[in-house]
Each structure stands twice: as C-alpha cells, then as structure tokens.
Amino acid sequence: MNRSIAGWVTHRWAKWVVMALGLLTIFVLASLGAKLTSVQDNDAASWLPGDAESTKVIERSKAFSDPNDIPGVVLYVRDSGITPADVAKAKADAAQIKGVDSVTEVTGPIPADDGKALQVLATVRMSSDGWEDLPDRVDDIRAIADRDAGGLDVRIAGPAALGADQAESFAGIDGILLLAAVAIVFIILLVTYRSLQLAILFLLCGVGAVFSAQGLVYLLAKHADLTVNAQSAGILSVLVLGAGVDYALLLVARYREELHRYEDRHEAMAHALHRAAPAILASGATVIIGLLCLLFAQMNSTSSLGPVGAVGIACALLVMMLLLPALLVILGRWIFWPFVPRFGDPVKSDRGIWARAGRQIAKAPRAVWVTTTLILVALSFGVVQLDANGLTNEQSFTKEQPSVLAERELAKHFPGGAGSPVAVIAEGSRADAVKDALSGVEGIDASSVQVKSPAGSPVAYLEGTLTSAPDSADAFATVDRARDAVHDVAGADALVGGNTAVNKDVQAASSADNRLIIPIVLVVVLLILAALLRSIAAPLILLVTVVVSFAAAMGISALTFRHVFGFEGTDSSFPLFAFVFLVALGIDYNIFLMTRVREEALKHGTRRGALIGLAATGGVITSAGFVLAGTFTALATLPVVFLAELGFAVAVGVLLDTIIVRSVLVTALNLDFGRHIWWPSALGRTDGQAHEEVDRTSTPREAART
C-alpha cells in the first residue's frame, strides 16, 4: 500500500472519519443483507447448464407444464393387502389434497400390481420463494394422508418430498454456518492470542465483512441478475469470515512487530500497512480472480458462485485494510493485553518454534524437500478412492431423510421412476412416432408412455415412467437410450428431459467444467505470482507445491470419506470447488511468506532471508491456517454430504499448506535453490546486498546482524 494512503488511513484525525464511514456502510449493507434469502433462486433451471438438453426441454415444455410444478407421491402401504376401506380413504384424501395451497393437480389413487400399495400423485407449484415453501406444502399433504390411517403405512415421496428435505437441510444456512464459524474462530483466536478483546475485535470486523458482502450480493441479485442460491449463500459466509480473519491476522502480526520499533502507534500502523498490504492485497486478488474463473463454467450454480465469492473477498479486504487499522490505532496498544508490545523490546520471532524449524531444515534442505514431496505424492494416490461421479438422493445426506425412505418403499411396489417421469418434447406432427420410439426403449415402462399435449398441437409433450430408481446409474443409461431412440425419429426434433436427465446433464457439465476451469485457474495464479515476485522460477516452483498439496489433500479426503465417514462418493462438482478454494486460498500463505523472504533477501541474501521470513511469518500463518480450516469445518454442521466433504477437504488442504508445504517444503526449496529461485530477475543475479555464501546453520538473529 502506498505510504501516503497508509498514512491517511491511520492519521490522527482521518482515522475517526474512516471508522465512522466504515461502520455506517456496514450498518446499511447489513440491513440489505438480511433480505438475501428473498432473492435466492433455488429452481432447477438456476443450477443447470444453459445449453443442456434437459434445460431446453424445461424451456420448450412451459406451454404444457409449469417449470415450477414439482410432482409428489403419497404412498399408502399395507403389507397384508390393500382393503376397500384403504381405497376409499385414498380417494377421500385425494379430494382433500386438491384443496391444499399450491397443489395444481391430483391423480389417483393408483393401485400397485402386488395389491399391497396405492399411490396418489400430487403436483405442487413452487412460489416465487422457490423451494422455501415446499416443507409447509408437504406437511399439509402429510397431515391429510396421516389422518385416520388405520394401520396404513403412509409416506410422501417424489421430487416434492425430496425438495422439502433439501429446503429444510439448507434452512437458516446463513445463520447456522455463521454462528458455527464464529464459535470455532473465537476459540482459535483466544488460544492463539490469549487476548479476549483482540479476538472480539477480529470477529466484529469479520462478521461486519460478512454482512457487507451479503448486502452487496443482495443488490447485485436484485438489480444485476446475479444468480444466488442456498449453496452459494452459505459458502459466502464461511469464505468471507475465514479469509477476512486471515487478512486481519497477517496485518496485525506486522503491526505488532512495528510497535516494537516505533513509539507512535500511528506511525507503526502506517509502516505495517505499507509492508503487509501488498502481500495481503495480492492474496485477495488471487482469490478474487480465481473465483471469477468460475464464470467460464457451464453450470449456472457454479458460474454464479464466482462473482458471489469475489464480492465477499473484496468486502473482507476493504474491512480489514481500512476499518480494522483505524480501529486498532484508535484503541491503542491495550488491545493486545495481557501481552502488550512495548517500544524498544526485541522481536522474539528468532527464538520461536519456526526459527528452530528453519535451522533444522537448513542442515539438509535438499533431503527435506525431496522427502516431503515424495510423502505428499504418496498421499495423493488415495485419490483413486474418490468417486466423483455424482451422488444419489440417498447418498446426498449425512443422515436418513423421510423422502429417501419413502422412495425406497415406493420402489418395492411401483416402477422405480414413479413420480419422476422422463419428459420428451417433439414436433407435434411426429407425436405418434416419438411415442412408439420411447415405448420401445429398454428401461421405460411402455404402458406408461403418454402424449400429454392436446391433439393437433404444433409441439408434442410426452412422459414415460422409468423402471429403475430415477437417480440410479441404470436410469442414466435409460436416458441415453431414450435420447438415441427419439433423436432417430426423422423430423421430430425430439429432446429428452425430466429430473433424471437433469441430473445426468449436471454431471456431464460438471466434468467439462473441471477440465476447462482448473487449467485456467493455474495460469491465472502463475501470472499473479510472476508479477508479484518478479520472477519465473519462484512462481513455477510455488505452483507445483500447491498442486502437490492439493493432490495430497484429495488423497487423504478420499480415503477418509470412504473408510471413516462411510460416504459412497462425491458430487461431480466437488473436485472443481475444492481445487479453486485450495489453490486460491492456499497460495495466500505462500504469497505472504515469499514476499517477506524477498524483502529480507534484498538485505541479507536469499538463504538468510528464507530463515528470517519463516521465523517472522511462521506463527501468524499457522494461526491463519487454523482459522480458515476451522471456518470451513463449520460446513459439516449441515446434513448435506457435498458441503461436509468440501469443508473437510479444504480444512485438510489448508492445514497441509500452512504446516507442511509452506513451512517445510517451500523453505527447504528456498534454502536449496538460493538466489536462483528469483531467476531471471536482478535479485537472482546479485542476491540483494549479500555477495557471500551464507552458512546454512545461521540463525535469523545472526543473519540480521550481518
């Protein structure tokens, strides 16, 4: 940060203006952020790739079926056999269900071939609030069906019931995640700094950044057509709090250091901002640009997360680079009590654990980095256990859900796809030919295939029932066969959609996004590092270390998911989300370390600079890593497998980055490569002001005296 800007932020009078404007802005944006739920779009189309076949079916079938209509199945089971009284009850229930708010169509009761079950199909139309109303509508239907059941086993299945369970799983996601993350971060800060008031200040600024981000995202969703869903809104809270507190820790560590050198705290903060801000801003810019790379994704839910997260990181940077410094100089040195940094006292980083670690690494740096790399590569082989081909409905939750149990029972008595039909759109004049083609597809119940559009309509809309569970691999294979069959009907221009086709297209789009966006993020990070470190060798080496760290984190995670948590797979978008968060956030710590190493290398040479940089930044980077890992573990508070897996993987990866990769691997590489790590810059030729080979066992204190 420019010295004049840093001085303005911490000026004796301007600091009060900065504080007032900052708090006022947070207050205004927080009031808007409270409305974020009202602009969330959790409809299926908001998650889908725009050019997918299933998306086109949704668009073209609007004349025959509202895309907000979701089918539900009321299942009645009596193991001893359905009685006439049971049929009478189901008929009466169907009549009552027609009067439930938002129910648009009721069909049945339909008896099962085994004589042990009945089903009533009820279509629920979602309101403008998306799936938020589904739990209430499903509860209304359940209340009717449960009344006077007389021994019948009554369950609610189908997409409406599943949507209700998903809505309840995400209910209050912003508040639940934020509270869980705040509690975790507070404990970590208290243990790290042993200063209650400093921990509270960090959290107040972090929460203020979250509220500000929610307010800005609300405005963009309201007025700029930014798509926000429950998933991206939840990740926003965790991301902003974790990253924001990280930036605060990095700044305060340098401020504390400068308080030993300057008696005037305003001057100390100005120097801290001038020295620390470039690295922090570069770190934030890396995350922002990395997230914006998600805009290239085919999946709407993935591409929308990019700008949502980028806005959040920008808010975290502004709060921590402007408001926090002003508050710190206003509050004075007592904020660090009981360990107040005194002017003139020596900086103790050269006697800490990381200084000792650096001396040990310096004895044999090449052996250290080779051994560490081999261990990380070995851990990465666990990735063969990572099944990223998507999750079934049953596998998507960390605990059993009523809709999943109902679906299992439904499959015992009716075709597996009951309540979740395959939908086909075609030219009206070819409706009969398309019907014949669809009826002949293996995996489609031929007797269920119907033309639902009016006779003579220019567009034909057909439905058919799958014989296997709609979220199974067999159902996906059936969709492929159905597409091949109807595409071959000359002049029909037929397309296959429906819930199963939607899930299949989502998996295909997610796989394509992985192949496209991961290389883009790597190139972007490489360019940012090259510009920051003014080198080619260092960015390439750092990027390789982060990729190796990511692979090791995936290997550890895959083994843990399967053999500890019992998860049977991961969502198809999991690798991309984990990669973006781990690479973009993980590179932060290398940026902060390497900018400090470069700063010290200009004065003492690269090898001594590496030891000084590790000793000076080791403690704060480790604390920052624990904070970020802790915030992401808060995702496990929701009963959603994808978020639990993402939180675990990011936490493991961040801890690997801070404890192993940054402190051991990168430091060993710096010590082994020496000045060559800055190739081809001038520093790589001169090694700063140091012209003699340094003794690798030198301590940071000895280096500083040279």
Side-chain angles (χ1 to χ4, degrees), residues 528-550:
I528 292 174
L529 287 174
L532 181 68
L533 300 177
R534 302 166 215 174
S535 161
I536 294 176
L540 286 171
I541 291 171
L542 290 177
L543 198 62
V544 170
T545 65
V546 172
V547 171
V548 171
S549 174
F550 167 74

PDB file of all heavy atoms in Angstrom, residues 528-550:
ATOM      1  N   ILE A 528      -0.147 -14.071 -11.608  1.00  0.00           N
ATOM      2  CA  ILE A 528      -0.165 -13.177 -10.447  1.00  0.00           C
ATOM      3  C   ILE A 528       1.120 -13.324  -9.639  1.00  0.00           C
ATOM      4  O   ILE A 528       1.737 -12.334  -9.219  1.00  0.00           O
ATOM      5  CB  ILE A 528      -1.396 -13.452  -9.570  1.00  0.00           C
ATOM      6  CG1 ILE A 528      -2.679 -13.039 -10.307  1.00  0.00           C
ATOM      7  CG2 ILE A 528      -1.298 -12.704  -8.244  1.00  0.00           C
ATOM      8  CD1 ILE A 528      -3.943 -13.406  -9.572  1.00  0.00           C
ATOM      9  N   LEU A 529       1.551 -14.558  -9.423  1.00  0.00           N
ATOM     10  CA  LEU A 529       2.788 -14.786  -8.677  1.00  0.00           C
ATOM     11  C   LEU A 529       3.988 -14.203  -9.412  1.00  0.00           C
ATOM     12  O   LEU A 529       4.892 -13.628  -8.788  1.00  0.00           O
ATOM     13  CB  LEU A 529       2.992 -16.287  -8.454  1.00  0.00           C
ATOM     14  CG  LEU A 529       2.082 -16.958  -7.416  1.00  0.00           C
ATOM     15  CD1 LEU A 529       2.289 -18.464  -7.419  1.00  0.00           C
ATOM     16  CD2 LEU A 529       2.353 -16.399  -6.024  1.00  0.00           C
ATOM     17  N   ALA A 530       4.012 -14.350 -10.734  1.00  0.00           N
ATOM     18  CA  ALA A 530       5.131 -13.812 -11.515  1.00  0.00           C
ATOM     19  C   ALA A 530       5.197 -12.290 -11.396  1.00  0.00           C
ATOM     20  O   ALA A 530       6.278 -11.711 -11.244  1.00  0.00           O
ATOM     21  CB  ALA A 530       4.994 -14.229 -12.975  1.00  0.00           C
ATOM     22  N   ALA A 531       4.028 -11.648 -11.445  1.00  0.00           N
ATOM     23  CA  ALA A 531       4.004 -10.191 -11.323  1.00  0.00           C
ATOM     24  C   ALA A 531       4.407  -9.748  -9.920  1.00  0.00           C
ATOM     25  O   ALA A 531       5.111  -8.739  -9.753  1.00  0.00           O
ATOM     26  CB  ALA A 531       2.609  -9.672 -11.655  1.00  0.00           C
ATOM     27  N   LEU A 532       3.997 -10.486  -8.909  1.00  0.00           N
ATOM     28  CA  LEU A 532       4.278 -10.102  -7.531  1.00  0.00           C
ATOM     29  C   LEU A 532       5.731 -10.331  -7.154  1.00  0.00           C
ATOM     30  O   LEU A 532       6.374  -9.475  -6.537  1.00  0.00           O
ATOM     31  CB  LEU A 532       3.364 -10.889  -6.583  1.00  0.00           C
ATOM     32  CG  LEU A 532       3.514 -10.597  -5.088  1.00  0.00           C
ATOM     33  CD1 LEU A 532       3.041  -9.183  -4.780  1.00  0.00           C
ATOM     34  CD2 LEU A 532       2.731 -11.603  -4.266  1.00  0.00           C
ATOM     35  N   LEU A 533       6.271 -11.490  -7.536  1.00  0.00           N
ATOM     36  CA  LEU A 533       7.634 -11.858  -7.126  1.00  0.00           C
ATOM     37  C   LEU A 533       8.677 -11.461  -8.166  1.00  0.00           C
ATOM     38  O   LEU A 533       9.872 -11.621  -7.931  1.00  0.00           O
ATOM     39  CB  LEU A 533       7.701 -13.367  -6.869  1.00  0.00           C
ATOM     40  CG  LEU A 533       6.772 -13.883  -5.767  1.00  0.00           C
ATOM     41  CD1 LEU A 533       6.866 -15.399  -5.652  1.00  0.00           C
ATOM     42  CD2 LEU A 533       7.095 -13.233  -4.427  1.00  0.00           C
ATOM     43  N   ARG A 534       8.242 -10.969  -9.322  1.00  0.00           N
ATOM     44  CA  ARG A 534       9.135 -10.524 -10.396  1.00  0.00           C
ATOM     45  C   ARG A 534      10.132 -11.618 -10.756  1.00  0.00           C
ATOM     46  O   ARG A 534      11.341 -11.394 -10.855  1.00  0.00           O
ATOM     47  CB  ARG A 534       9.874  -9.243  -9.984  1.00  0.00           C
ATOM     48  CG  ARG A 534       8.931  -8.112  -9.631  1.00  0.00           C
ATOM     49  CD  ARG A 534       9.639  -6.994  -8.916  1.00  0.00           C
ATOM     50  NE  ARG A 534       8.757  -6.396  -7.918  1.00  0.00           N
ATOM     51  CZ  ARG A 534       9.137  -5.466  -7.058  1.00  0.00           C
ATOM     52  NH1 ARG A 534      10.377  -5.018  -7.073  1.00  0.00           N
ATOM     53  NH2 ARG A 534       8.287  -4.965  -6.179  1.00  0.00           N
ATOM     54  N   SER A 535       9.589 -12.799 -10.925  1.00  0.00           N
ATOM     55  CA  SER A 535      10.412 -13.970 -11.179  1.00  0.00           C
ATOM     56  C   SER A 535       9.601 -14.964 -11.981  1.00  0.00           C
ATOM     57  O   SER A 535       8.363 -14.893 -12.040  1.00  0.00           O
ATOM     58  CB  SER A 535      10.852 -14.584  -9.846  1.00  0.00           C
ATOM     59  OG  SER A 535      11.281 -15.913 -10.001  1.00  0.00           O
ATOM     60  N   ILE A 536      10.274 -15.907 -12.614  1.00  0.00           N
ATOM     61  CA  ILE A 536       9.604 -17.018 -13.291  1.00  0.00           C
ATOM     62  C   ILE A 536       9.804 -18.307 -12.513  1.00  0.00           C
ATOM     63  O   ILE A 536       8.880 -19.107 -12.349  1.00  0.00           O
ATOM     64  CB  ILE A 536      10.133 -17.180 -14.733  1.00  0.00           C
ATOM     65  CG1 ILE A 536       9.754 -15.952 -15.567  1.00  0.00           C
ATOM     66  CG2 ILE A 536       9.585 -18.455 -15.367  1.00  0.00           C
ATOM     67  CD1 ILE A 536      10.305 -15.978 -16.978  1.00  0.00           C
ATOM     68  N   ALA A 537      11.001 -18.498 -11.999  1.00  0.00           N
ATOM     69  CA  ALA A 537      11.309 -19.741 -11.287  1.00  0.00           C
ATOM     70  C   ALA A 537      10.458 -19.897 -10.028  1.00  0.00           C
ATOM     71  O   ALA A 537       9.850 -20.956  -9.806  1.00  0.00           O
ATOM     72  CB  ALA A 537      12.798 -19.779 -10.932  1.00  0.00           C
ATOM     73  N   ALA A 538      10.404 -18.860  -9.194  1.00  0.00           N
ATOM     74  CA  ALA A 538       9.665 -18.960  -7.929  1.00  0.00           C
ATOM     75  C   ALA A 538       8.180 -19.256  -8.148  1.00  0.00           C
ATOM     76  O   ALA A 538       7.635 -20.157  -7.502  1.00  0.00           O
ATOM     77  CB  ALA A 538       9.851 -17.685  -7.109  1.00  0.00           C
ATOM     78  N   PRO A 539       7.488 -18.543  -9.055  1.00  0.00           N
ATOM     79  CA  PRO A 539       6.074 -18.864  -9.274  1.00  0.00           C
ATOM     80  C   PRO A 539       5.846 -20.302  -9.741  1.00  0.00           C
ATOM     81  O   PRO A 539       4.903 -20.963  -9.301  1.00  0.00           O
ATOM     82  CB  PRO A 539       5.646 -17.859 -10.345  1.00  0.00           C
ATOM     83  CG  PRO A 539       6.565 -16.714 -10.173  1.00  0.00           C
ATOM     84  CD  PRO A 539       7.876 -17.315  -9.780  1.00  0.00           C
ATOM     85  N   LEU A 540       6.706 -20.788 -10.653  1.00  0.00           N
ATOM     86  CA  LEU A 540       6.547 -22.162 -11.125  1.00  0.00           C
ATOM     87  C   LEU A 540       6.723 -23.162  -9.985  1.00  0.00           C
ATOM     88  O   LEU A 540       5.945 -24.117  -9.841  1.00  0.00           O
ATOM     89  CB  LEU A 540       7.548 -22.455 -12.239  1.00  0.00           C
ATOM     90  CG  LEU A 540       7.249 -21.812 -13.602  1.00  0.00           C
ATOM     91  CD1 LEU A 540       8.421 -21.993 -14.545  1.00  0.00           C
ATOM     92  CD2 LEU A 540       5.980 -22.405 -14.201  1.00  0.00           C
ATOM     93  N   ILE A 541       7.739 -22.928  -9.165  1.00  0.00           N
ATOM     94  CA  ILE A 541       8.003 -23.833  -8.046  1.00  0.00           C
ATOM     95  C   ILE A 541       6.855 -23.789  -7.044  1.00  0.00           C
ATOM     96  O   ILE A 541       6.381 -24.828  -6.569  1.00  0.00           O
ATOM     97  CB  ILE A 541       9.344 -23.464  -7.369  1.00  0.00           C
ATOM     98  CG1 ILE A 541      10.501 -23.797  -8.316  1.00  0.00           C
ATOM     99  CG2 ILE A 541       9.504 -24.193  -6.036  1.00  0.00           C
ATOM    100  CD1 ILE A 541      11.847 -23.269  -7.852  1.00  0.00           C
ATOM    101  N   LEU A 542       6.387 -22.583  -6.716  1.00  0.00           N
ATOM    102  CA  LEU A 542       5.291 -22.444  -5.748  1.00  0.00           C
ATOM    103  C   LEU A 542       4.018 -23.099  -6.275  1.00  0.00           C
ATOM    104  O   LEU A 542       3.283 -23.742  -5.518  1.00  0.00           O
ATOM    105  CB  LEU A 542       5.033 -20.968  -5.453  1.00  0.00           C
ATOM    106  CG  LEU A 542       6.118 -20.231  -4.654  1.00  0.00           C
ATOM    107  CD1 LEU A 542       5.743 -18.769  -4.500  1.00  0.00           C
ATOM    108  CD2 LEU A 542       6.317 -20.874  -3.293  1.00  0.00           C
ATOM    109  N   LEU A 543       3.764 -22.927  -7.576  1.00  0.00           N
ATOM    110  CA  LEU A 543       2.554 -23.511  -8.145  1.00  0.00           C
ATOM    111  C   LEU A 543       2.598 -25.035  -8.076  1.00  0.00           C
ATOM    112  O   LEU A 543       1.590 -25.686  -7.762  1.00  0.00           O
ATOM    113  CB  LEU A 543       2.384 -23.054  -9.592  1.00  0.00           C
ATOM    114  CG  LEU A 543       0.984 -23.211 -10.181  1.00  0.00           C
ATOM    115  CD1 LEU A 543      -0.017 -22.364  -9.405  1.00  0.00           C
ATOM    116  CD2 LEU A 543       0.976 -22.826 -11.661  1.00  0.00           C
ATOM    117  N   VAL A 544       3.755 -25.598  -8.346  1.00  0.00           N
ATOM    118  CA  VAL A 544       3.895 -27.057  -8.253  1.00  0.00           C
ATOM    119  C   VAL A 544       3.646 -27.526  -6.822  1.00  0.00           C
ATOM    120  O   VAL A 544       2.971 -28.540  -6.597  1.00  0.00           O
ATOM    121  CB  VAL A 544       5.284 -27.499  -8.737  1.00  0.00           C
ATOM    122  CG1 VAL A 544       5.519 -28.978  -8.418  1.00  0.00           C
ATOM    123  CG2 VAL A 544       5.423 -27.271 -10.241  1.00  0.00           C
ATOM    124  N   THR A 545       4.166 -26.776  -5.846  1.00  0.00           N
ATOM    125  CA  THR A 545       3.964 -27.190  -4.449  1.00  0.00           C
ATOM    126  C   THR A 545       2.487 -27.161  -4.068  1.00  0.00           C
ATOM    127  O   THR A 545       2.006 -28.035  -3.344  1.00  0.00           O
ATOM    128  CB  THR A 545       4.749 -26.291  -3.476  1.00  0.00           C
ATOM    129  OG1 THR A 545       4.238 -24.950  -3.519  1.00  0.00           O
ATOM    130  CG2 THR A 545       6.228 -26.278  -3.805  1.00  0.00           C
ATOM    131  N   VAL A 546       1.761 -26.156  -4.570  1.00  0.00           N
ATOM    132  CA  VAL A 546       0.335 -26.062  -4.244  1.00  0.00           C
ATOM    133  C   VAL A 546      -0.444 -27.194  -4.908  1.00  0.00           C
ATOM    134  O   VAL A 546      -1.358 -27.776  -4.309  1.00  0.00           O
ATOM    135  CB  VAL A 546      -0.228 -24.691  -4.667  1.00  0.00           C
ATOM    136  CG1 VAL A 546      -1.743 -24.661  -4.526  1.00  0.00           C
ATOM    137  CG2 VAL A 546       0.384 -23.593  -3.809  1.00  0.00           C
ATOM    138  N   VAL A 547      -0.090 -27.530  -6.153  1.00  0.00           N
ATOM    139  CA  VAL A 547      -0.772 -28.627  -6.851  1.00  0.00           C
ATOM    140  C   VAL A 547      -0.510 -29.951  -6.142  1.00  0.00           C
ATOM    141  O   VAL A 547      -1.417 -30.775  -5.964  1.00  0.00           O
ATOM    142  CB  VAL A 547      -0.325 -28.694  -8.324  1.00  0.00           C
ATOM    143  CG1 VAL A 547      -0.847 -29.952  -8.990  1.00  0.00           C
ATOM    144  CG2 VAL A 547      -0.815 -27.459  -9.075  1.00  0.00           C
ATOM    145  N   VAL A 548       0.731 -30.170  -5.727  1.00  0.00           N
ATOM    146  CA  VAL A 548       1.062 -31.396  -4.986  1.00  0.00           C
ATOM    147  C   VAL A 548       0.290 -31.432  -3.675  1.00  0.00           C
ATOM    148  O   VAL A 548      -0.228 -32.481  -3.266  1.00  0.00           O
ATOM    149  CB  VAL A 548       2.583 -31.481  -4.739  1.00  0.00           C
ATOM    150  CG1 VAL A 548       2.915 -32.619  -3.780  1.00  0.00           C
ATOM    151  CG2 VAL A 548       3.321 -31.683  -6.051  1.00  0.00           C
ATOM    152  N   SER A 549       0.197 -30.278  -3.010  1.00  0.00           N
ATOM    153  CA  SER A 549      -0.563 -30.201  -1.764  1.00  0.00           C
ATOM    154  C   SER A 549      -2.031 -30.514  -2.001  1.00  0.00           C
ATOM    155  O   SER A 549      -2.668 -31.239  -1.221  1.00  0.00           O
ATOM    156  CB  SER A 549      -0.418 -28.801  -1.158  1.00  0.00           C
ATOM    157  OG  SER A 549      -1.244 -28.656  -0.025  1.00  0.00           O
ATOM    158  N   PHE A 550      -2.595 -29.973  -3.101  1.00  0.00           N
ATOM    159  CA  PHE A 550      -3.991 -30.248  -3.438  1.00  0.00           C
ATOM    160  C   PHE A 550      -4.212 -31.734  -3.681  1.00  0.00           C
ATOM    161  O   PHE A 550      -5.185 -32.328  -3.189  1.00  0.00           O
ATOM    162  CB  PHE A 550      -4.386 -29.450  -4.682  1.00  0.00           C
ATOM    163  CG  PHE A 550      -5.695 -29.883  -5.290  1.00  0.00           C
ATOM    164  CD1 PHE A 550      -6.893 -29.554  -4.683  1.00  0.00           C
ATOM    165  CD2 PHE A 550      -5.724 -30.625  -6.469  1.00  0.00           C
ATOM    166  CE1 PHE A 550      -8.108 -29.953  -5.229  1.00  0.00           C
ATOM    167  CE2 PHE A 550      -6.926 -31.026  -7.023  1.00  0.00           C
ATOM    168  CZ  PHE A 550      -8.121 -30.696  -6.400  1.00  0.00           C
TER     169      PHE A 550
END
